[in-house]
C-alpha cells in the first residue's frame, strides 16, 4: 500500500499526507482524552493527599463537570474532524472559491479582482463556520455550563453576543486580510519581510486597543473603587516598578461564573483587569447568596426554598489572596515572560512567511486541493499555513505548552519571593474549587495539554514556604 501511495502523482501524495496527518493528530488527541476520562471515571473519592484541600462534595462536582466536558469534547472533535475531511474530499474549498467568484462577477468584478473575491470567500467561510459551530456552542453553554452552575447568559444575550462577535471580527479581519494580500502581491522578492512587519504592527495595535475599544463592546469595564484593595495593588506595582496606570473590574458575571485576571498595555501604560467573579467582596454571585432575614417557616415554603436558594458559599478570593494572584501575574512581567512570548511568536511568524515565500510558487500544492487553473494568494496562505505547516505547528504547540508550565512555576516563585506564598496557596485552592478544576490528571494528558501545572504540583512548590 505504501508503494502504491508513492506511485501516485505528487499532488495526490500531498493531499493524502495532509489528510493522514490530520487524522493521526485527531486519534492521538482522542487517545489522550480517553486516558483522562478513565481518571475521571475511576477516581471517585478524594485522594488522601488532597483531603485537606478539597471536600468530597466539591471533588465530586468537579469530577462530573470535567467528565461532561471531556465527553462533549470527544463528540465535537469527531464532528469537526469529519467535517474537515468531507470538505477536503468533496472539494469544498474550490467550490466555495467558485461561489465567491460568481458573487463578485454578479457585482461587476471580474477574475482580476482577486482580493475582492478573497474577501467574499473569507466572509462565506466564516459564516459557514459560525453556523456549523452554533449548535455545539449552544449545547456547551446552555446544557453543560448551565448544568454545573456556570452559565449566567440568557438565550437572547447569547445570540446577540454571537452576532456582535461575528460583525466585529469581520470589521477587523477583512481590512487586515485585504492589506496583507495587497502587500504580498506588490512586495516583490522581499514581500515576506513586509508581510511579517505588517502582521507584527497589526498584532501590536490590536493588543493595545483591545481592552480599551474592543472588549468594552462585549463587557462592562469599571474602575476599581478607591479603597484598601486598590491602594495595596498600586503599592505592590510600585514596589517592582510596574508602570500601572489603571485598575479595572470587568463584569464577567453576566456571562459566566468562571474567574480570571490579566494585565495589558505597552511601555509606561499598563492596566490590570480583574473579573468581578474573582473578587470575594465584589462578585454579584455572592450577593445573591447572602443570608436573608429570618422569616417564619412552613413545611411548604422551607422545602421549596431549600431548592431555590444557593448555599452561602462565597466565590472568589479575599484581598490578600487577590494580591497574591496579581503578584503571580506581575511576576510574568518582571521575569520577561510576556516579552519572551512575543519574541517567540514573531520569530515563528517570520519563519513561516519565509517558508511561504519559498512554497507559494509550487503549483502542485494548489492542484492537490482542487485548484487546477488558478493559484489565489489567500488559498495559498490557507494551504501552506494550515495544512503544510501542520506537523510543525503541532510540535511548536507542545514546546510552547512545556515553556508555559515553566513560566507558571517561575511566576509562582516570584509571588513567593514577595512573601505571598501562603496567600497564593489558598487562592489557588479557592480558584480551583470555584472553577471546578479536577486536581487529578493523567500524566500524558497533562504533559501534552496543560499550559499550567496541575494544582498539586503548584501547591507542593509553594508548600515548604507556607509551612515556614
Amino acid at each position: 500500500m505504501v508503494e502504491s501511495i508513492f506511485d501516485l502523482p505528487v499532488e495526490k501524495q500531498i493531499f493524502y499526507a495532509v489528510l493522514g496527518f490530520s487524522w493521526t493528530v485527531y486519534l492521538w488527541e482522542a487517545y489522550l482524552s480517553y486516558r483522562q476520562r478513565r481518571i475521571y471515571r475511576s477516581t471517585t473519592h478524594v485522594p488522601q493527599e488532597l483531603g485537606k484541600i478539597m471536600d468530597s462534595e466539591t471533588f465530586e462536582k468537579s469530577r462530573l463537570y470535567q467528565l461532561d466536558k471531556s465527553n462533549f469534547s470527544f463528540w465535537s472533535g469527531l464532528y469537526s474532524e469529519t467535517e474537515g475531511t468531507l470538505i477536503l474530499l468533496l472539494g469544498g474549498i474550490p467550490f466555495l472559491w467558485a461561489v465567491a467568484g460568481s458573487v463578485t462577477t454578479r457585482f461587476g468584478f471580474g477574475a482580476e479582482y482577486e482580493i475582492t473575491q478573497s474577501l467574499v470567500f473569507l466572509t462565506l467561510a466564516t459564516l459557514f463556520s459560525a453556523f456549523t459551530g452554533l449548535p455545539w456552542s449552544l449545547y456547551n453553554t446552555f446544557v453543560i455550563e448551565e448544568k454545573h452552575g456556570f452559565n449566567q447568559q440568557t438565550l437572547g444575550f447569547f445570540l446577540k453576543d454571537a452576532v456582535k462577535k461575528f460583525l466585529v471580527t469581520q470589521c477587523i479581519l477583512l481590512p487586515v486580510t485585504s492589506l496583507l494580500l495587497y502587500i504580498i502581491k506588490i512586495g516583490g522578492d522581499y514581500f515576506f519581510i513586509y508581510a511579517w512587519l505588517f502582521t507584527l504592527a497589526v498584532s501590536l495595535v490590536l493588543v493595545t486597543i483591545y481592552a480599551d475599544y474592543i472588549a468594552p463592546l462585549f463587557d462592562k469595564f469599571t474602575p476599581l473603587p478607591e479603597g484598601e484593595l486598590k491602594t495595596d495593588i498600586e503599592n505592590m506595582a510600585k514596589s517592582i516598578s510596574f508602570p500601572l496606570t489603571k485598575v479595572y473590574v470587568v463584569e464577567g458575571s453576566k456571562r459566566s461564573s468562571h474567574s480570571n485576571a490579566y494585565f495589558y498595555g505597552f511601555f509606561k501604560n499598563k492596566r490590570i483587569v480583574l473579573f468581578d467573579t474573582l473578587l470575594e467582596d465584589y462578585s454579584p454571585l455572592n450577593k445573591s447568596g447572602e443570608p436573608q432575614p429570618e422569616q417564619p417557616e412552613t413545611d411548604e415554603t422551607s422545602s421549596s426554598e431549600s431548592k431555590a436558594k444557593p448555599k452561602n458559599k462565597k466565590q472568589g478570593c479575599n484581598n490578600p489572596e487577590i494580591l497574591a494572584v496579581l503578584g503571580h501575574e506581575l511576576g510574568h512581567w518582571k521575569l520577561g515572560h510576556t516579552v519572551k512570548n512575543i519574541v517567540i511568536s514573531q520569530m515563528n511568524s517570520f519563519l513561516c512567511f519565509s517558508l511561504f515565500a519559498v512554497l507559494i510558487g509550487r503549483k502542485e500544492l494548489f492542484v492537490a486541493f482542487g485548484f487546477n487553473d488558478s493559484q489565489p494568494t489567500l488559498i495559498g496562505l490557507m494551504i501552506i499555513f494550515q495544512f503544510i505547516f501542520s506537523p510543525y505547528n503541532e510540535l511548536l504547540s507542545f514546546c510552547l505548552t512545556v515553556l508555559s508550565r515553566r513560566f507558571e512555576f517561575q511566576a509562582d516563585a516570584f509571588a513567593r519571593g514577595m512573601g505571598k506564598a501562603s496567600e497564593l496557596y489558598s487562592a489557588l485552592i479557592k480558584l480551583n474549587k470555584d472553577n471546578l478544576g479536577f486536581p487529578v490528571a493523567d500524566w500524558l494528558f497533562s504533559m501534552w495539554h496543560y499550559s499550567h501545572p496541575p494544582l498539586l504540583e503548584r501547591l507542593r512548590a509553594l508548600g515548604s514556604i507556607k509551612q515556614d
Side-chain angles (χ1 to χ4, degrees):
M1 181 178 177
V2 174
E3 290 180 359
S4 62
I5 291 176
F6 282 109
D7 290 337
L8 292 172
V10 64
E11 56 269 15
K12 289 292 184 183
Q13 293 182 31
I14 292 171
F15 180 82
Y16 288 122
V18 166
L19 207 57
F21 184 77
S22 178
W23 275 97
T24 300
V25 171
Y26 168 75
L27 292 173
W28 168 246
E29 296 280 1
Y31 168 68
L32 293 179
S33 297
Y34 164 74
R35 290 175 61 102
Q36 184 61 21
R37 277 196 299 279
R38 283 195 310 183
I39 297 291
Y40 295 145
R41 291 193 178 105
S42 62
T43 314
T44 56
H45 300 288
V46 183
Q48 185 175 359
E49 58 184 330
L50 294 171
K52 296 180 181 179
I53 296 173
M54 182 177 282
D55 60 85
S56 57
E57 180 186 358
T58 304
F59 184 85
E60 180 65 7
K61 283 181 179 179
S62 66
R63 186 183 74 84
L64 294 176
Y65 175 55
Q66 297 298 334
L67 183 58
D68 281 350
K69 283 178 62 179
S70 181
N71 288 331
F72 172 79
S73 178
F74 169 78
W75 290 110
S76 62
L78 178 61
Y79 168 80
S80 179
E81 187 65 24
T82 304
E83 177 189 89
T85 299
L86 289 175
I87 287 172
L88 291 179
L89 290 175
L90 299 177
I93 298 175
F95 171 77
L96 197 61
W97 180 259
V99 171
S102 65
V103 171
T104 54
T105 301
R106 184 171 297 180
F107 286 93
F109 296 98
E112 68 274 16
Y113 290 92
E114 184 190 311
I115 293 179
T116 304
Q117 185 174 349
S118 298
L119 298 184
V120 175
F121 172 87
L122 202 56
T123 302
L124 293 174
T126 50
L127 268 174
F128 175 81
S129 178
F131 277 112
T132 56
L134 183 61
W136 297 99
S137 184
L138 283 168
Y139 186 88
N140 182 56
T141 301
F142 292 100
V143 177
I144 295 179
E145 295 294 301
E146 184 79 28
K147 174 183 175 182
H148 295 279
F150 288 113
N151 177 48
Q152 306 295 324
Q153 303 177 71
T154 63
L155 180 60
F157 178 89
F158 176 90
L159 294 175
K160 179 182 176 183
D161 204 47
V163 171
K164 196 187 298 184
K165 283 178 182 176
F166 178 82
L167 293 175
V168 171
T169 300
Q170 296 309 302
C171 288
I172 297 171
L173 182 63
L174 297 182
V176 169
T177 302
S178 62
L179 286 172
L180 177 61
L181 295 177
Y182 182 71
I183 289 169
I184 291 174
K185 285 191 170 296
I186 68 166
D189 293 339
Y190 299 102
F191 77 85
F192 63 96
I193 297 177
Y194 308 136
W196 168 67
L197 289 173
F198 172 71
T199 56
L200 170 61
V202 168
S203 62
L204 294 179
V205 169
L206 288 177
V207 168
T208 303
I209 69 172
Y210 173 78
D212 288 326
Y213 299 102
I214 300 175
L217 296 173
F218 303 95
D219 296 301
K220 182 180 179 182
F221 286 71
T222 55
L224 180 67
E226 297 292 336
E228 181 183 354
L229 177 59
K230 185 177 181 181
T231 301
D232 289 343
I233 291 174
E234 290 172 342
N235 290 337
M236 183 171 67
K238 287 179 184 176
S239 70
I240 60 168
S241 302
F242 181 78
L244 178 65
T245 55
K246 292 181 182 179
V247 183
Y248 290 110
V249 177
V250 61
E251 190 182 6
S253 56
K254 72 175 183 179
R255 198 178 296 275
S256 170
S257 57
H258 289 296
S259 51
N260 198 7
Y262 62 91
F263 70 86
Y264 69 98
F266 286 106
F267 308 115
K268 301 296 182 181
N269 187 28
K270 305 284 188 185
R271 288 100 183 273
I272 288 175
V273 176
L274 306 169
F275 279 53
D276 58 355
T277 49
L278 178 67
L279 310 178
E280 186 179 78
D281 298 328
Y282 204 95
S283 176
L285 302 176
N286 290 335
K287 295 175 185 176
S288 64
E290 287 176 356
Q292 302 295 320
E294 290 187 10
Q295 295 179 354
E297 282 189 2
T298 64
D299 291 341
E300 186 177 343
T301 58
S302 63
S303 62
S304 63
E305 286 183 358
S306 65
K307 297 176 183 177
K309 285 185 180 180
K311 292 185 178 180
N312 187 27
K313 281 187 177 181
K314 278 197 170 186
Q315 169 161 343
C317 300
N318 59 38
N319 287 1
E321 290 165 344
I322 292 166
L323 290 172
V325 171
L326 289 179
H328 167 95
E329 295 300 327
L330 295 181
H332 285 305
W333 171 80
K334 191 69 174 178
L335 297 171
H337 296 164
T338 307
V339 173
K340 290 173 185 175
N341 281 329
I342 291 174
V343 169
I344 291 171
S345 172
Q346 292 310 313
M347 288 175 61
N348 172 63
S349 178
F350 182 78
L351 174 63
C352 289
F353 273 116
S354 302
L355 293 175
F356 171 78
V358 174
L359 297 173
I360 187 62
R362 304 294 294 268
K363 185 178 180 181
E364 59 267 29
L365 292 178
F366 291 88
V367 174
F369 294 92
F371 289 84
N372 300 311
D373 303 319
S374 63
Q375 299 180 42
T377 304
L378 179 65
I379 301 301
L381 285 167
M382 179 185 297
I383 291 172
I384 294 170
F385 277 78
Q386 184 176 341
F387 299 137
I388 305 302
F389 288 171
S390 54
Y392 166 73
N393 291 336
E394 287 296 323
L395 177 62
L396 178 65
S397 176
F398 173 69
C399 292
L400 290 178
T401 298
V402 173
L403 182 64
S404 175
R405 283 199 299 269
R406 179 178 176 85
F407 283 172
E408 291 302 317
F409 277 126
Q410 291 176 355
D412 282 352
F414 183 85
R416 184 181 63 194
M418 297 179 74
K420 301 188 180 299
S422 179
E423 293 82 0
L424 184 58
Y425 190 102
S426 59
L428 289 174
I429 294 172
K430 281 188 179 181
L431 292 174
N432 187 77
K433 290 179 180 178
D434 288 347
N435 292 286
L436 291 184
F438 195 67
V440 183
D442 173 77
W443 71 270
L444 194 55
F445 180 88
S446 169
M447 180 187 71
W448 188 260
H449 281 293
Y450 283 10
S451 61
H452 287 58
L455 177 65
L456 275 177
E457 292 183 23
R458 296 180 73 178
L459 295 182
R460 288 189 192 114
L462 291 167
S464 57
I465 301 297
K466 183 179 186 296
Q467 290 167 5
D468 292 345

